[in-house]
Amino acid sequence: MKKFITKFDTTAELTTFSATTDFGRPHVSLTEDDSKVHYFEDAYNEPEYVDLGLPSGLKWATCNLGASSSEQTGKYYAWGDTTGYTTEQIQNNDFSASEYNPDNNESLPPYDFTGDLDAKYDAATTERGINWRMPTKANYEELLDSNNTTLEWVTSYNGVPGHIIKSKTNSNTIFLPAAGCATRSSLGSSLAYMGDTDMYLTSTSEEYNKMFTLNMYYYYGDETQSAGNYFYFEGNYERGDFGYPIRPVYVG
């Protein structure tokens, strides 16, 4: 019997042929109970994720949304925007030219929407399917809990500065590039804090027209504050004024 090599099971045998589809993608089942799937005749590949041994069991993507490697910034997204903007679009002022106005755009969450984003407003779900979503503020708090992981600033991860997050349970790691954020105003759009601050969008809002973002940086120290890694959550910016990278989580 023909064997398939997959990320699930390197010894799995083809035992059934399933007519089931997932978002229109045909697949064959590699187990009798249809629990493991191998896709064929399709360019789609499930993005990679890492098990950091977190108490929730949540898995984190190896790269940002819109990126193909860990060190790439990917796209920048306003809160509730599912399209995103590349660095080239931001530098060309495409970001500033786009209106963020939920009053006349049903694809954006209402200004008074609070809580965690619904799937229809979630860029990770829109881009990658129902097995993926944006992380909540609580998910990032778990990820950065010193009981679960360690945090290390590196000036060059394949040439890119950022933070390596390492599991205390199984030593697996992910890398978050210091991608900064995108800003827009009447003067145009630009990129800020690239190379020195990891700024990442969460799906959580607790206040009218505000969203929570993770800001993470390394401080080199002075007479008032010791050197080390610091992070905090910020929720005082209007949703439409800034764009941030997204690091998806796997919930499939």
Side-chain angles (χ1 to χ4, degrees), residues 50-53 149 164-174:
V50 177
D51 181 1
L52 296 168
T149 61
I164 294 175
I165 300 174
K166 182 177 182 179
S167 168
K168 287 187 173 180
T169 301
N170 57 27
S171 297
N172 290 338
T173 65
I174 60 172

Side-chain angles (χ1 to χ4, degrees), residues 48-178:
E48 293 184 353
Y49 53 83
V50 177
D51 181 1
L52 296 168
L54 299 173
S56 69
L58 201 65
K59 315 296 193 297
W60 285 78
T62 57
C63 62
N64 291 349
L65 195 62
S68 58
S69 65
S70 297
E71 62 271 19
Q72 292 180 349
T73 60
K75 289 184 177 182
Y76 293 78
Y77 298 81
W79 198 77
D81 164 40
T82 59
T83 302
Y85 297 82
T86 64
T87 56
E88 291 79 9
Q89 288 176 310
I90 294 165
Q91 292 164 344
N92 290 333
N93 285 328
D94 292 348
F95 184 57
S96 61
S98 299
E99 293 185 1
Y100 185 93
N101 187 355
D103 289 339
N104 59 19
N105 189 345
E106 294 183 354
S107 67
L108 294 172
Y111 283 119
D112 60 355
F113 183 101
T114 57
D116 300 327
L117 285 170
D118 298 333
K120 65 179 179 179
Y121 302 128
D122 189 309
T125 304
T126 300
E127 176 69 22
R128 296 188 173 184
I130 60 173
N131 288 337
W132 296 87
R133 64 169 172 79
M134 294 170 59
T136 65
K137 177 174 178 283
N139 294 154
Y140 269 116
E141 289 172 337
E142 178 190 54
L143 176 69
L144 298 172
D145 188 325
S146 60
N147 292 315
N148 300 329
T149 61
T150 60
L151 191 60
E152 178 188 4
W153 169 260
V154 293
T155 57
S156 179
Y157 181 94
N158 293 332
V160 176
H163 281 92
I164 294 175
I165 300 174
K166 182 177 182 179
S167 168
K168 287 187 173 180
T169 301
N170 57 27
S171 297
N172 290 338
T173 65
I174 60 172
F175 174 72
L176 297 181

Side-chain angles (χ1 to χ4, degrees), residues 16-75:
T16 63
F17 186 89
S18 173
T20 312
T21 60
D22 179 33
F23 293 104
R25 297 191 296 272
H27 70 263
V28 293
S29 169
L30 299 183
T31 61
E32 294 289 353
D33 62 1
D34 204 33
S35 62
K36 297 178 182 178
V37 173
H38 170 76
Y39 293 100
F40 68 97
E41 296 179 357
D42 187 359
Y44 178 85
N45 290 305
E46 187 78 87
E48 293 184 353
Y49 53 83
V50 177
D51 181 1
L52 296 168
L54 299 173
S56 69
L58 201 65
K59 315 296 193 297
W60 285 78
T62 57
C63 62
N64 291 349
L65 195 62
S68 58
S69 65
S70 297
E71 62 271 19
Q72 292 180 349
T73 60
K75 289 184 177 182

